Amino acid sequence: MIEISNLHKSYRMGANSLHVLKGINFNVAEGELVSIMGSSGSGKSTLLNILGMLDEADEGSYVLDGVPIKNLSEKQAAKYRNKFLGFIFQSFNLIGYKSALDNVALPLYYQGHSRSERIDRAMNYLEKVGLADWAAHLPNELSGGQKQRVAIARALASDPKVLLADEPTGALDTKTSYEVMDLIQEINDEGRTILVVTHEHDIAQMTKRIVHLKDGVIIEDTKVSQVRALENV
């Protein structure tokens, strides 16, 4: 599903250059649930931005579901993001003046679906995350855990090949974090490929494989015995 080969990325810092990714080799098969760990400055956010087509590598190759991701115009990148990827963020990134239902339906607007189809599909995904009764509520009327569930429903609405979750539990308390991870595990059980960036070891143990980054290189890539989230609640 994801094939990364010899990925390098540097950023100009005044007269100097900061080499952030230093030859990353990394494959993810369809249906995997992988966590990416590393301290601040390890390169995990840069890697996620490249995977999400929000940034581009200086060197190396990135192939997503058989499609080479390189030299894309912003229009092409947006098209591929909408086709292939769903994003879940630590800060939820919900639109404050839109209801939960309209937030979930938004990606479907960009895919050209009719209003009635958008609403039907969005409601279906709100039901899936247990929030059908909250469809008409605005984000400021929802708890942190509910906001993240809406964000997950939005990420799923466009039926992406891969979910990219950037610290999805970072703004949540432990109990709510585990409930969100239980939902992510359920989605993965259905066959969806998911990458989770996290700095929390207990969250990483709820995935099936942990990739450790340090100073721009992968220092460890280990399959783990998955801990089911709700066993910890």
Side-chain angles (χ1 to χ4, degrees):
M1 181 58 74
I2 292 173
E3 300 169 53
I4 294 280
S5 179
N6 194 36
L7 215 64
H8 287 262
K9 180 68 182 180
S10 297
Y11 293 102
R12 299 297 305 175
M13 306 284 285
N16 301 315
S17 178
L18 181 65
H19 196 177
V20 180
L21 297 181
K22 304 170 183 174
I24 298 285
N25 294 290
F26 174 66
N27 289 349
V28 179
E30 186 170 359
E32 280 201 271
L33 175 53
V34 182
S35 53
I36 299 172
M37 299 195 74
S39 58
S40 181
S42 63
K44 62 184 189 298
S45 294
T46 300
L47 176 60
L48 196 74
N49 284 341
I50 291 171
L51 291 170
M53 295 179 242
L54 302 168
D55 203 349
E56 194 166 341
D58 300 326
E59 186 183 324
S61 69
Y62 170 25
V63 178
L64 175 59
D65 198 30
V67 178
I69 306 299
K70 193 164 180 67
N71 299 326
L72 301 181
S73 67
E74 183 45 49
K75 190 173 180 181
Q76 285 174 311
K79 177 185 165 190
Y80 282 154
R81 276 196 298 270
N82 213 9
K83 179 180 178 183
F84 289 118
L85 301 173
F87 293 90
I88 305 166
F89 302 96
Q90 176 177 344
S91 55
F92 319 126
N93 286 19
L94 300 177
I95 297 172
Y97 59 85
K98 287 187 177 290
S99 68
L101 185 67
D102 285 338
N103 267 283
V104 175
L106 195 60
L108 302 171
Y109 172 81
Y110 293 110
Q111 289 187 340
H113 294 281
S114 69
R115 170 79 180 165
S116 61
E117 189 178 356
R118 295 199 301 269
I119 295 305
D120 284 349
R121 285 181 60 174
M123 183 56 86
N124 180 47
Y125 281 105
L126 278 178
E127 286 173 2
K128 185 179 180 68
V129 301
L131 285 181
D133 291 345
W134 295 80
H137 288 252
L138 296 174
N140 66 7
E141 299 171 317
L142 304 175
S143 69
Q146 287 172 324
K147 289 177 189 174
Q148 194 58 290
R149 285 173 178 271
V150 172
I152 291 169
R154 180 186 58 190
L156 289 171
S158 56
D159 195 25
K161 300 276 189 180
V162 178
L163 282 183
L164 298 176
D166 188 7
E167 300 279 2
T169 61
L172 305 173
D173 62 63
T174 299
K175 182 176 183 293
T176 310
S177 295
Y178 288 7
E179 288 169 355
V180 165
M181 283 306 298
D182 177 61
L183 181 56
I184 286 173
Q185 288 178 338
E186 284 179 12
I187 295 163
N188 175 248
D189 290 343
E190 294 168 2
R192 190 88 54 176
T193 309
I194 307 175
L195 273 70
V196 179
V197 169
T198 183
H199 65 276
E200 298 170 279
H201 287 277
D202 56 338
I203 298 299
Q205 292 293 332
M206 295 174 196
T207 67
K208 297 174 181 174
R209 175 180 162 201
I210 303 176
V211 175
H212 279 271
L213 283 178
K214 185 176 181 181
D215 297 330
V217 296
I218 292 174
I219 58 168
E220 193 175 5
D221 184 345
T222 313
K223 291 196 173 181
V224 294
S225 181
Q226 184 185 41
V227 175
R228 297 302 295 195
L230 288 192
E231 290 175 7
N232 289 279
V233 175

